[in-house]
Amino acid sequence: MIDPSQARGRSLFGGVLTPMVKALMISIVAVYALELISLNWLEDPRWIGVLWLMPADVVGRGWAWQILSYMWLHDPLSPWHIVLNLFGLYMFGGFLERRWGPWAFLRFFLITGAVAGLTVAAAGWFYYPFNPTIGCSGGVLALIVAFGIIYAA
């Protein structure tokens, strides 16, 4: 069993930067940069509305890809949104990736993010069908819970 106190590789603030965590962080930051460019310079945010999770689009139009694509979008008006999600991914993801392997880790992150998205789509369909949801907080929270379950003494 891998002990989180025995970090290998790059470590800062207690987290471990592993290859899959690094790839996820780079992809999330790249999409965030595209969001900022699209909104601030191109002034054409239409593609963002296709990727965020809007319950009316998922249920009403069948836009099932939004169950995963929303995880890569973050609030362009609040950098703290992306910073806190990336920090959680970094702090807990590396330990789980080392324990499970990169592909099992990625599968867990995507499945739990999709379950969070399905929950938002189902509840939102009844209560707020036209409010979009963005961010990978559901997947990051699942990583935190998994870390706590595995490494709790």
PDB file of all heavy atoms in Angstrom, residues 52-90:
ATOM      1  N   TRP A  52     -21.432  23.676 -21.474  1.00  0.00           N
ATOM      2  CA  TRP A  52     -21.843  23.680 -20.082  1.00  0.00           C
ATOM      3  C   TRP A  52     -23.023  22.735 -19.900  1.00  0.00           C
ATOM      4  O   TRP A  52     -23.639  22.313 -20.860  1.00  0.00           O
ATOM      5  CB  TRP A  52     -22.144  25.062 -19.573  1.00  0.00           C
ATOM      6  CG  TRP A  52     -23.287  25.810 -20.218  1.00  0.00           C
ATOM      7  CD1 TRP A  52     -24.357  25.291 -20.904  1.00  0.00           C
ATOM      8  CD2 TRP A  52     -23.487  27.212 -20.211  1.00  0.00           C
ATOM      9  NE1 TRP A  52     -25.188  26.276 -21.327  1.00  0.00           N
ATOM     10  CE2 TRP A  52     -24.690  27.473 -20.906  1.00  0.00           C
ATOM     11  CE3 TRP A  52     -22.790  28.277 -19.678  1.00  0.00           C
ATOM     12  CZ2 TRP A  52     -25.188  28.748 -21.082  1.00  0.00           C
ATOM     13  CZ3 TRP A  52     -23.280  29.547 -19.852  1.00  0.00           C
ATOM     14  CH2 TRP A  52     -24.470  29.771 -20.543  1.00  0.00           C
ATOM     15  N   LEU A  53     -23.329  22.400 -18.669  1.00  0.00           N
ATOM     16  CA  LEU A  53     -24.416  21.477 -18.382  1.00  0.00           C
ATOM     17  C   LEU A  53     -25.669  22.286 -18.063  1.00  0.00           C
ATOM     18  O   LEU A  53     -25.751  22.928 -17.030  1.00  0.00           O
ATOM     19  CB  LEU A  53     -24.045  20.576 -17.190  1.00  0.00           C
ATOM     20  CG  LEU A  53     -24.909  19.348 -16.971  1.00  0.00           C
ATOM     21  CD1 LEU A  53     -24.182  18.353 -16.098  1.00  0.00           C
ATOM     22  CD2 LEU A  53     -26.271  19.649 -16.427  1.00  0.00           C
ATOM     23  N   MET A  54     -26.608  22.249 -19.002  1.00  0.00           N
ATOM     24  CA  MET A  54     -27.899  22.885 -18.771  1.00  0.00           C
ATOM     25  C   MET A  54     -28.941  21.771 -18.816  1.00  0.00           C
ATOM     26  O   MET A  54     -29.099  21.100 -19.829  1.00  0.00           O
ATOM     27  CB  MET A  54     -28.218  23.948 -19.817  1.00  0.00           C
ATOM     28  CG  MET A  54     -29.530  24.578 -19.510  1.00  0.00           C
ATOM     29  SD  MET A  54     -29.850  26.265 -20.026  1.00  0.00           S
ATOM     30  CE  MET A  54     -28.377  27.022 -20.429  1.00  0.00           C
ATOM     31  N   PRO A  55     -29.650  21.543 -17.696  1.00  0.00           N
ATOM     32  CA  PRO A  55     -30.613  20.444 -17.646  1.00  0.00           C
ATOM     33  C   PRO A  55     -31.606  20.435 -18.798  1.00  0.00           C
ATOM     34  O   PRO A  55     -31.940  19.362 -19.323  1.00  0.00           O
ATOM     35  CB  PRO A  55     -31.311  20.661 -16.291  1.00  0.00           C
ATOM     36  CG  PRO A  55     -30.272  21.323 -15.456  1.00  0.00           C
ATOM     37  CD  PRO A  55     -29.524  22.225 -16.402  1.00  0.00           C
ATOM     38  N   ALA A  56     -32.059  21.590 -19.234  1.00  0.00           N
ATOM     39  CA  ALA A  56     -33.017  21.652 -20.344  1.00  0.00           C
ATOM     40  C   ALA A  56     -32.395  21.118 -21.633  1.00  0.00           C
ATOM     41  O   ALA A  56     -33.083  20.506 -22.451  1.00  0.00           O
ATOM     42  CB  ALA A  56     -33.507  23.082 -20.535  1.00  0.00           C
ATOM     43  N   ASP A  57     -31.101  21.334 -21.823  1.00  0.00           N
ATOM     44  CA  ASP A  57     -30.435  20.831 -23.027  1.00  0.00           C
ATOM     45  C   ASP A  57     -30.166  19.323 -22.936  1.00  0.00           C
ATOM     46  O   ASP A  57     -30.329  18.607 -23.906  1.00  0.00           O
ATOM     47  CB  ASP A  57     -29.108  21.564 -23.256  1.00  0.00           C
ATOM     48  CG  ASP A  57     -29.300  23.008 -23.686  1.00  0.00           C
ATOM     49  OD1 ASP A  57     -30.397  23.342 -24.175  1.00  0.00           O
ATOM     50  OD2 ASP A  57     -28.350  23.790 -23.537  1.00  0.00           O
ATOM     51  N   VAL A  58     -29.759  18.864 -21.767  1.00  0.00           N
ATOM     52  CA  VAL A  58     -29.459  17.442 -21.603  1.00  0.00           C
ATOM     53  C   VAL A  58     -30.725  16.609 -21.738  1.00  0.00           C
ATOM     54  O   VAL A  58     -30.770  15.642 -22.499  1.00  0.00           O
ATOM     55  CB  VAL A  58     -28.775  17.168 -20.233  1.00  0.00           C
ATOM     56  CG1 VAL A  58     -28.617  15.683 -19.990  1.00  0.00           C
ATOM     57  CG2 VAL A  58     -27.421  17.864 -20.165  1.00  0.00           C
ATOM     58  N   VAL A  59     -31.775  16.984 -21.020  1.00  0.00           N
ATOM     59  CA  VAL A  59     -33.010  16.206 -21.023  1.00  0.00           C
ATOM     60  C   VAL A  59     -33.861  16.529 -22.244  1.00  0.00           C
ATOM     61  O   VAL A  59     -34.345  15.624 -22.934  1.00  0.00           O
ATOM     62  CB  VAL A  59     -33.806  16.447 -19.718  1.00  0.00           C
ATOM     63  CG1 VAL A  59     -35.123  15.687 -19.732  1.00  0.00           C
ATOM     64  CG2 VAL A  59     -32.968  16.044 -18.511  1.00  0.00           C
ATOM     65  N   GLY A  60     -34.025  17.809 -22.525  1.00  0.00           N
ATOM     66  CA  GLY A  60     -34.926  18.222 -23.604  1.00  0.00           C
ATOM     67  C   GLY A  60     -34.370  18.021 -25.005  1.00  0.00           C
ATOM     68  O   GLY A  60     -35.095  17.623 -25.914  1.00  0.00           O
ATOM     69  N   ARG A  61     -33.083  18.297 -25.191  1.00  0.00           N
ATOM     70  CA  ARG A  61     -32.469  18.201 -26.525  1.00  0.00           C
ATOM     71  C   ARG A  61     -31.625  16.948 -26.706  1.00  0.00           C
ATOM     72  O   ARG A  61     -31.183  16.666 -27.807  1.00  0.00           O
ATOM     73  CB  ARG A  61     -31.575  19.412 -26.774  1.00  0.00           C
ATOM     74  CG  ARG A  61     -32.311  20.705 -26.876  1.00  0.00           C
ATOM     75  CD  ARG A  61     -31.311  21.831 -26.940  1.00  0.00           C
ATOM     76  NE  ARG A  61     -31.699  22.818 -27.916  1.00  0.00           N
ATOM     77  CZ  ARG A  61     -31.015  23.919 -28.152  1.00  0.00           C
ATOM     78  NH1 ARG A  61     -29.882  24.153 -27.507  1.00  0.00           N
ATOM     79  NH2 ARG A  61     -31.427  24.791 -29.035  1.00  0.00           N
ATOM     80  N   GLY A  62     -31.344  16.247 -25.623  1.00  0.00           N
ATOM     81  CA  GLY A  62     -30.519  15.044 -25.719  1.00  0.00           C
ATOM     82  C   GLY A  62     -29.032  15.333 -25.850  1.00  0.00           C
ATOM     83  O   GLY A  62     -28.286  14.508 -26.383  1.00  0.00           O
ATOM     84  N   TRP A  63     -28.579  16.455 -25.351  1.00  0.00           N
ATOM     85  CA  TRP A  63     -27.164  16.816 -25.443  1.00  0.00           C
ATOM     86  C   TRP A  63     -26.381  16.115 -24.327  1.00  0.00           C
ATOM     87  O   TRP A  63     -25.908  16.726 -23.374  1.00  0.00           O
ATOM     88  CB  TRP A  63     -26.990  18.323 -25.358  1.00  0.00           C
ATOM     89  CG  TRP A  63     -27.458  19.060 -26.582  1.00  0.00           C
ATOM     90  CD1 TRP A  63     -28.130  18.544 -27.651  1.00  0.00           C
ATOM     91  CD2 TRP A  63     -27.290  20.444 -26.853  1.00  0.00           C
ATOM     92  NE1 TRP A  63     -28.395  19.527 -28.558  1.00  0.00           N
ATOM     93  CE2 TRP A  63     -27.882  20.710 -28.100  1.00  0.00           C
ATOM     94  CE3 TRP A  63     -26.705  21.484 -26.161  1.00  0.00           C
ATOM     95  CZ2 TRP A  63     -27.906  21.968 -28.672  1.00  0.00           C
ATOM     96  CZ3 TRP A  63     -26.724  22.748 -26.728  1.00  0.00           C
ATOM     97  CH2 TRP A  63     -27.305  22.985 -27.967  1.00  0.00           C
ATOM     98  N   ALA A  64     -26.211  14.823 -24.469  1.00  0.00           N
ATOM     99  CA  ALA A  64     -25.624  13.984 -23.426  1.00  0.00           C
ATOM    100  C   ALA A  64     -24.156  14.309 -23.152  1.00  0.00           C
ATOM    101  O   ALA A  64     -23.671  14.073 -22.050  1.00  0.00           O
ATOM    102  CB  ALA A  64     -25.782  12.514 -23.789  1.00  0.00           C
ATOM    103  N   TRP A  65     -23.434  14.849 -24.131  1.00  0.00           N
ATOM    104  CA  TRP A  65     -22.014  15.158 -23.915  1.00  0.00           C
ATOM    105  C   TRP A  65     -21.804  16.162 -22.791  1.00  0.00           C
ATOM    106  O   TRP A  65     -20.753  16.222 -22.186  1.00  0.00           O
ATOM    107  CB  TRP A  65     -21.353  15.667 -25.195  1.00  0.00           C
ATOM    108  CG  TRP A  65     -21.904  16.979 -25.662  1.00  0.00           C
ATOM    109  CD1 TRP A  65     -21.558  18.223 -25.215  1.00  0.00           C
ATOM    110  CD2 TRP A  65     -22.921  17.185 -26.636  1.00  0.00           C
ATOM    111  NE1 TRP A  65     -22.285  19.198 -25.856  1.00  0.00           N
ATOM    112  CE2 TRP A  65     -23.133  18.582 -26.739  1.00  0.00           C
ATOM    113  CE3 TRP A  65     -23.671  16.338 -27.438  1.00  0.00           C
ATOM    114  CZ2 TRP A  65     -24.062  19.128 -27.606  1.00  0.00           C
ATOM    115  CZ3 TRP A  65     -24.589  16.890 -28.309  1.00  0.00           C
ATOM    116  CH2 TRP A  65     -24.776  18.268 -28.383  1.00  0.00           C
ATOM    117  N   GLN A  66     -22.834  16.956 -22.494  1.00  0.00           N
ATOM    118  CA  GLN A  66     -22.707  17.950 -21.433  1.00  0.00           C
ATOM    119  C   GLN A  66     -22.499  17.303 -20.065  1.00  0.00           C
ATOM    120  O   GLN A  66     -21.975  17.949 -19.162  1.00  0.00           O
ATOM    121  CB  GLN A  66     -23.938  18.854 -21.395  1.00  0.00           C
ATOM    122  CG  GLN A  66     -24.035  19.783 -22.571  1.00  0.00           C
ATOM    123  CD  GLN A  66     -25.210  20.743 -22.458  1.00  0.00           C
ATOM    124  OE1 GLN A  66     -26.071  20.601 -21.595  1.00  0.00           O
ATOM    125  NE2 GLN A  66     -25.240  21.725 -23.337  1.00  0.00           N
ATOM    126  N   ILE A  67     -22.847  16.029 -19.929  1.00  0.00           N
ATOM    127  CA  ILE A  67     -22.654  15.314 -18.662  1.00  0.00           C
ATOM    128  C   ILE A  67     -21.165  15.241 -18.320  1.00  0.00           C
ATOM    129  O   ILE A  67     -20.791  15.133 -17.157  1.00  0.00           O
ATOM    130  CB  ILE A  67     -23.281  13.900 -18.758  1.00  0.00           C
ATOM    131  CG1 ILE A  67     -24.795  13.984 -18.966  1.00  0.00           C
ATOM    132  CG2 ILE A  67     -22.958  13.056 -17.534  1.00  0.00           C
ATOM    133  CD1 ILE A  67     -25.550  14.677 -17.854  1.00  0.00           C
ATOM    134  N   LEU A  68     -20.288  15.296 -19.313  1.00  0.00           N
ATOM    135  CA  LEU A  68     -18.838  15.311 -19.077  1.00  0.00           C
ATOM    136  C   LEU A  68     -18.187  16.645 -19.426  1.00  0.00           C
ATOM    137  O   LEU A  68     -17.281  17.083 -18.738  1.00  0.00           O
ATOM    138  CB  LEU A  68     -18.149  14.203 -19.878  1.00  0.00           C
ATOM    139  CG  LEU A  68     -18.216  12.810 -19.298  1.00  0.00           C
ATOM    140  CD1 LEU A  68     -17.569  11.817 -20.241  1.00  0.00           C
ATOM    141  CD2 LEU A  68     -17.568  12.744 -17.933  1.00  0.00           C
ATOM    142  N   SER A  69     -18.642  17.280 -20.489  1.00  0.00           N
ATOM    143  CA  SER A  69     -17.941  18.477 -20.964  1.00  0.00           C
ATOM    144  C   SER A  69     -17.989  19.632 -19.968  1.00  0.00           C
ATOM    145  O   SER A  69     -17.055  20.451 -19.931  1.00  0.00           O
ATOM    146  CB  SER A  69     -18.504  18.930 -22.320  1.00  0.00           C
ATOM    147  OG  SER A  69     -19.866  19.317 -22.210  1.00  0.00           O
ATOM    148  N   TYR A  70     -19.013  19.693 -19.146  1.00  0.00           N
ATOM    149  CA  TYR A  70     -19.127  20.800 -18.186  1.00  0.00           C
ATOM    150  C   TYR A  70     -17.957  20.828 -17.210  1.00  0.00           C
ATOM    151  O   TYR A  70     -17.635  21.867 -16.646  1.00  0.00           O
ATOM    152  CB  TYR A  70     -20.449  20.703 -17.411  1.00  0.00           C
ATOM    153  CG  TYR A  70     -20.421  19.752 -16.233  1.00  0.00           C
ATOM    154  CD1 TYR A  70     -20.275  20.241 -14.941  1.00  0.00           C
ATOM    155  CD2 TYR A  70     -20.523  18.370 -16.404  1.00  0.00           C
ATOM    156  CE1 TYR A  70     -20.242  19.388 -13.846  1.00  0.00           C
ATOM    157  CE2 TYR A  70     -20.488  17.513 -15.326  1.00  0.00           C
ATOM    158  CZ  TYR A  70     -20.348  18.020 -14.058  1.00  0.00           C
ATOM    159  OH  TYR A  70     -20.301  17.160 -12.985  1.00  0.00           O
ATOM    160  N   MET A  71     -17.307  19.675 -17.001  1.00  0.00           N
ATOM    161  CA  MET A  71     -16.219  19.578 -16.031  1.00  0.00           C
ATOM    162  C   MET A  71     -15.008  20.417 -16.429  1.00  0.00           C
ATOM    163  O   MET A  71     -14.193  20.765 -15.580  1.00  0.00           O
ATOM    164  CB  MET A  71     -15.800  18.119 -15.852  1.00  0.00           C
ATOM    165  CG  MET A  71     -16.865  17.250 -15.206  1.00  0.00           C
ATOM    166  SD  MET A  71     -16.425  15.504 -15.178  1.00  0.00           S
ATOM    167  CE  MET A  71     -14.970  15.541 -14.152  1.00  0.00           C
ATOM    168  N   TRP A  72     -14.861  20.700 -17.704  1.00  0.00           N
ATOM    169  CA  TRP A  72     -13.687  21.457 -18.156  1.00  0.00           C
ATOM    170  C   TRP A  72     -13.921  22.961 -18.176  1.00  0.00           C
ATOM    171  O   TRP A  72     -12.979  23.728 -18.326  1.00  0.00           O
ATOM    172  CB  TRP A  72     -13.253  20.963 -19.536  1.00  0.00           C
ATOM    173  CG  TRP A  72     -12.323  19.810 -19.405  1.00  0.00           C
ATOM    174  CD1 TRP A  72     -10.963  19.864 -19.480  1.00  0.00           C
ATOM    175  CD2 TRP A  72     -12.645  18.448 -19.134  1.00  0.00           C
ATOM    176  NE1 TRP A  72     -10.434  18.614 -19.262  1.00  0.00           N
ATOM    177  CE2 TRP A  72     -11.446  17.728 -19.056  1.00  0.00           C
ATOM    178  CE3 TRP A  72     -13.840  17.760 -18.937  1.00  0.00           C
ATOM    179  CZ2 TRP A  72     -11.402  16.368 -18.784  1.00  0.00           C
ATOM    180  CZ3 TRP A  72     -13.794  16.409 -18.679  1.00  0.00           C
ATOM    181  CH2 TRP A  72     -12.588  15.735 -18.613  1.00  0.00           C
ATOM    182  N   LEU A  73     -15.146  23.396 -18.011  1.00  0.00           N
ATOM    183  CA  LEU A  73     -15.440  24.828 -17.985  1.00  0.00           C
ATOM    184  C   LEU A  73     -15.414  25.337 -16.551  1.00  0.00           C
ATOM    185  O   LEU A  73     -15.795  24.628 -15.624  1.00  0.00           O
ATOM    186  CB  LEU A  73     -16.826  25.091 -18.583  1.00  0.00           C
ATOM    187  CG  LEU A  73     -17.025  24.691 -20.038  1.00  0.00           C
ATOM    188  CD1 LEU A  73     -18.492  24.871 -20.427  1.00  0.00           C
ATOM    189  CD2 LEU A  73     -16.127  25.478 -20.954  1.00  0.00           C
ATOM    190  N   HIS A  74     -14.942  26.563 -16.381  1.00  0.00           N
ATOM    191  CA  HIS A  74     -14.918  27.201 -15.063  1.00  0.00           C
ATOM    192  C   HIS A  74     -15.304  28.664 -15.219  1.00  0.00           C
ATOM    193  O   HIS A  74     -15.172  29.242 -16.295  1.00  0.00           O
ATOM    194  CB  HIS A  74     -13.549  27.042 -14.407  1.00  0.00           C
ATOM    195  CG  HIS A  74     -13.299  25.653 -13.936  1.00  0.00           C
ATOM    196  ND1 HIS A  74     -12.890  24.656 -14.779  1.00  0.00           N
ATOM    197  CD2 HIS A  74     -13.431  25.091 -12.717  1.00  0.00           C
ATOM    198  CE1 HIS A  74     -12.765  23.527 -14.096  1.00  0.00           C
ATOM    199  NE2 HIS A  74     -13.092  23.765 -12.854  1.00  0.00           N
ATOM    200  N   ASP A  75     -15.755  29.257 -14.135  1.00  0.00           N
ATOM    201  CA  ASP A  75     -16.269  30.616 -14.154  1.00  0.00           C
ATOM    202  C   ASP A  75     -15.182  31.608 -14.566  1.00  0.00           C
ATOM    203  O   ASP A  75     -14.220  31.814 -13.827  1.00  0.00           O
ATOM    204  CB  ASP A  75     -16.803  30.969 -12.768  1.00  0.00           C
ATOM    205  CG  ASP A  75     -17.483  32.325 -12.724  1.00  0.00           C
ATOM    206  OD1 ASP A  75     -17.487  33.032 -13.747  1.00  0.00           O
ATOM    207  OD2 ASP A  75     -18.005  32.678 -11.646  1.00  0.00           O
ATOM    208  N   PRO A  76     -15.319  32.236 -15.738  1.00  0.00           N
ATOM    209  CA  PRO A  76     -14.294  33.177 -16.194  1.00  0.00           C
ATOM    210  C   PRO A  76     -14.250  34.468 -15.373  1.00  0.00           C
ATOM    211  O   PRO A  76     -13.273  35.202 -15.440  1.00  0.00           O
ATOM    212  CB  PRO A  76     -14.681  33.456 -17.643  1.00  0.00           C
ATOM    213  CG  PRO A  76     -16.119  33.121 -17.732  1.00  0.00           C
ATOM    214  CD  PRO A  76     -16.395  32.069 -16.706  1.00  0.00           C
ATOM    215  N   LEU A  77     -15.275  34.734 -14.595  1.00  0.00           N
ATOM    216  CA  LEU A  77     -15.294  35.942 -13.774  1.00  0.00           C
ATOM    217  C   LEU A  77     -14.717  35.705 -12.386  1.00  0.00           C
ATOM    218  O   LEU A  77     -14.537  36.646 -11.622  1.00  0.00           O
ATOM    219  CB  LEU A  77     -16.725  36.469 -13.659  1.00  0.00           C
ATOM    220  CG  LEU A  77     -17.408  36.816 -14.981  1.00  0.00           C
ATOM    221  CD1 LEU A  77     -18.846  37.250 -14.744  1.00  0.00           C
ATOM    222  CD2 LEU A  77     -16.622  37.877 -15.723  1.00  0.00           C
ATOM    223  N   SER A  78     -14.454  34.461 -12.044  1.00  0.00           N
ATOM    224  CA  SER A  78     -13.932  34.127 -10.721  1.00  0.00           C
ATOM    225  C   SER A  78     -12.783  33.130 -10.847  1.00  0.00           C
ATOM    226  O   SER A  78     -13.011  31.931 -10.912  1.00  0.00           O
ATOM    227  CB  SER A  78     -15.035  33.539  -9.847  1.00  0.00           C
ATOM    228  OG  SER A  78     -14.491  33.075  -8.637  1.00  0.00           O
ATOM    229  N   PRO A  79     -11.543  33.600 -10.865  1.00  0.00           N
ATOM    230  CA  PRO A  79     -10.412  32.678 -10.968  1.00  0.00           C
ATOM    231  C   PRO A  79     -10.338  31.707  -9.789  1.00  0.00           C
ATOM    232  O   PRO A  79      -9.742  30.643  -9.909  1.00  0.00           O
ATOM    233  CB  PRO A  79      -9.192  33.581 -11.004  1.00  0.00           C
ATOM    234  CG  PRO A  79      -9.660  34.972 -10.916  1.00  0.00           C
ATOM    235  CD  PRO A  79     -11.147  34.986 -10.843  1.00  0.00           C
ATOM    236  N   TRP A  80     -10.954  32.050  -8.649  1.00  0.00           N
ATOM    237  CA  TRP A  80     -10.921  31.146  -7.498  1.00  0.00           C
ATOM    238  C   TRP A  80     -11.609  29.826  -7.799  1.00  0.00           C
ATOM    239  O   TRP A  80     -11.263  28.793  -7.228  1.00  0.00           O
ATOM    240  CB  TRP A  80     -11.532  31.812  -6.272  1.00  0.00           C
ATOM    241  CG  TRP A  80     -10.616  32.820  -5.687  1.00  0.00           C
ATOM    242  CD1 TRP A  80     -10.775  34.179  -5.704  1.00  0.00           C
ATOM    243  CD2 TRP A  80      -9.366  32.564  -5.042  1.00  0.00           C
ATOM    244  NE1 TRP A  80      -9.699  34.776  -5.096  1.00  0.00           N
ATOM    245  CE2 TRP A  80      -8.820  33.803  -4.683  1.00  0.00           C
ATOM    246  CE3 TRP A  80      -8.660  31.411  -4.743  1.00  0.00           C
ATOM    247  CZ2 TRP A  80      -7.609  33.930  -4.033  1.00  0.00           C
ATOM    248  CZ3 TRP A  80      -7.439  31.528  -4.091  1.00  0.00           C
ATOM    249  CH2 TRP A  80      -6.936  32.774  -3.747  1.00  0.00           C
ATOM    250  N   HIS A  81     -12.589  29.843  -8.666  1.00  0.00           N
ATOM    251  CA  HIS A  81     -13.303  28.621  -9.028  1.00  0.00           C
ATOM    252  C   HIS A  81     -12.325  27.593  -9.591  1.00  0.00           C
ATOM    253  O   HIS A  81     -12.267  26.460  -9.122  1.00  0.00           O
ATOM    254  CB  HIS A  81     -14.406  28.954 -10.033  1.00  0.00           C
ATOM    255  CG  HIS A  81     -15.247  27.796 -10.416  1.00  0.00           C
ATOM    256  ND1 HIS A  81     -15.827  27.683 -11.651  1.00  0.00           N
ATOM    257  CD2 HIS A  81     -15.612  26.679  -9.741  1.00  0.00           C
ATOM    258  CE1 HIS A  81     -16.520  26.563 -11.710  1.00  0.00           C
ATOM    259  NE2 HIS A  81     -16.400  25.938 -10.556  1.00  0.00           N
ATOM    260  N   ILE A  82     -11.562  27.976 -10.570  1.00  0.00           N
ATOM    261  CA  ILE A  82     -10.622  27.036 -11.183  1.00  0.00           C
ATOM    262  C   ILE A  82      -9.442  26.755 -10.248  1.00  0.00           C
ATOM    263  O   ILE A  82      -8.959  25.627 -10.163  1.00  0.00           O
ATOM    264  CB  ILE A  82     -10.152  27.520 -12.572  1.00  0.00           C
ATOM    265  CG1 ILE A  82      -9.359  26.405 -13.277  1.00  0.00           C
ATOM    266  CG2 ILE A  82      -9.361  28.808 -12.483  1.00  0.00           C
ATOM    267  CD1 ILE A  82      -9.074  26.685 -14.733  1.00  0.00           C
ATOM    268  N   VAL A  83      -8.983  27.764  -9.517  1.00  0.00           N
ATOM    269  CA  VAL A  83      -7.833  27.573  -8.620  1.00  0.00           C
ATOM    270  C   VAL A  83      -8.157  26.530  -7.556  1.00  0.00           C
ATOM    271  O   VAL A  83      -7.356  25.615  -7.303  1.00  0.00           O
ATOM    272  CB  VAL A  83      -7.416  28.915  -7.974  1.00  0.00           C
ATOM    273  CG1 VAL A  83      -6.468  28.693  -6.812  1.00  0.00           C
ATOM    274  CG2 VAL A  83      -6.788  29.825  -9.018  1.00  0.00           C
ATOM    275  N   LEU A  84      -9.323  26.615  -6.939  1.00  0.00           N
ATOM    276  CA  LEU A  84      -9.674  25.660  -5.887  1.00  0.00           C
ATOM    277  C   LEU A  84      -9.908  24.261  -6.440  1.00  0.00           C
ATOM    278  O   LEU A  84      -9.524  23.269  -5.806  1.00  0.00           O
ATOM    279  CB  LEU A  84     -10.888  26.161  -5.110  1.00  0.00           C
ATOM    280  CG  LEU A  84     -10.625  27.400  -4.257  1.00  0.00           C
ATOM    281  CD1 LEU A  84     -11.908  27.904  -3.620  1.00  0.00           C
ATOM    282  CD2 LEU A  84      -9.564  27.127  -3.204  1.00  0.00           C
ATOM    283  N   ASN A  85     -10.525  24.149  -7.617  1.00  0.00           N
ATOM    284  CA  ASN A  85     -10.694  22.832  -8.224  1.00  0.00           C
ATOM    285  C   ASN A  85      -9.345  22.203  -8.568  1.00  0.00           C
ATOM    286  O   ASN A  85      -9.115  21.022  -8.306  1.00  0.00           O
ATOM    287  CB  ASN A  85     -11.572  22.906  -9.473  1.00  0.00           C
ATOM    288  CG  ASN A  85     -13.043  22.830  -9.151  1.00  0.00           C
ATOM    289  OD1 ASN A  85     -13.461  22.140  -8.239  1.00  0.00           O
ATOM    290  ND2 ASN A  85     -13.838  23.546  -9.914  1.00  0.00           N
ATOM    291  N   LEU A  86      -8.443  22.986  -9.159  1.00  0.00           N
ATOM    292  CA  LEU A  86      -7.123  22.448  -9.503  1.00  0.00           C
ATOM    293  C   LEU A  86      -6.318  22.095  -8.257  1.00  0.00           C
ATOM    294  O   LEU A  86      -5.593  21.095  -8.243  1.00  0.00           O
ATOM    295  CB  LEU A  86      -6.350  23.448 -10.371  1.00  0.00           C
ATOM    296  CG  LEU A  86      -6.890  23.672 -11.775  1.00  0.00           C
ATOM    297  CD1 LEU A  86      -6.089  24.752 -12.485  1.00  0.00           C
ATOM    298  CD2 LEU A  86      -6.904  22.383 -12.578  1.00  0.00           C
ATOM    299  N   PHE A  87      -6.456  22.896  -7.219  1.00  0.00           N
ATOM    300  CA  PHE A  87      -5.743  22.606  -5.973  1.00  0.00           C
ATOM    301  C   PHE A  87      -6.229  21.291  -5.366  1.00  0.00           C
ATOM    302  O   PHE A  87      -5.434  20.456  -4.932  1.00  0.00           O
ATOM    303  CB  PHE A  87      -5.909  23.756  -4.984  1.00  0.00           C
ATOM    304  CG  PHE A  87      -5.091  23.595  -3.737  1.00  0.00           C
ATOM    305  CD1 PHE A  87      -3.708  23.662  -3.791  1.00  0.00           C
ATOM    306  CD2 PHE A  87      -5.700  23.376  -2.518  1.00  0.00           C
ATOM    307  CE1 PHE A  87      -2.938  23.515  -2.644  1.00  0.00           C
ATOM    308  CE2 PHE A  87      -4.948  23.233  -1.359  1.00  0.00           C
ATOM    309  CZ  PHE A  87      -3.559  23.296  -1.422  1.00  0.00           C
ATOM    310  N   GLY A  88      -7.526  21.056  -5.351  1.00  0.00           N
ATOM    311  CA  GLY A  88      -8.075  19.795  -4.851  1.00  0.00           C
ATOM    312  C   GLY A  88      -7.635  18.616  -5.693  1.00  0.00           C
ATOM    313  O   GLY A  88      -7.281  17.547  -5.173  1.00  0.00           O
ATOM    314  N   LEU A  89      -7.633  18.789  -7.010  1.00  0.00           N
ATOM    315  CA  LEU A  89      -7.171  17.734  -7.914  1.00  0.00           C
ATOM    316  C   LEU A  89      -5.711  17.406  -7.647  1.00  0.00           C
ATOM    317  O   LEU A  89      -5.314  16.247  -7.562  1.00  0.00           O
ATOM    318  CB  LEU A  89      -7.372  18.182  -9.365  1.00  0.00           C
ATOM    319  CG  LEU A  89      -6.927  17.249 -10.472  1.00  0.00           C
ATOM    320  CD1 LEU A  89      -7.647  15.912 -10.398  1.00  0.00           C
ATOM    321  CD2 LEU A  89      -7.162  17.903 -11.832  1.00  0.00           C
ATOM    322  N   TYR A  90      -4.899  18.427  -7.474  1.00  0.00           N
ATOM    323  CA  TYR A  90      -3.472  18.248  -7.205  1.00  0.00           C
ATOM    324  C   TYR A  90      -3.230  17.606  -5.835  1.00  0.00           C
ATOM    325  O   TYR A  90      -2.443  16.676  -5.704  1.00  0.00           O
ATOM    326  CB  TYR A  90      -2.763  19.602  -7.288  1.00  0.00           C
ATOM    327  CG  TYR A  90      -1.375  19.614  -6.713  1.00  0.00           C
ATOM    328  CD1 TYR A  90      -0.321  19.017  -7.399  1.00  0.00           C
ATOM    329  CD2 TYR A  90      -1.129  20.193  -5.486  1.00  0.00           C
ATOM    330  CE1 TYR A  90       0.955  19.013  -6.865  1.00  0.00           C
ATOM    331  CE2 TYR A  90       0.149  20.205  -4.946  1.00  0.00           C
ATOM    332  CZ  TYR A  90       1.181  19.613  -5.638  1.00  0.00           C
ATOM    333  OH  TYR A  90       2.442  19.607  -5.109  1.00  0.00           O
TER     334      TYR A  90
END
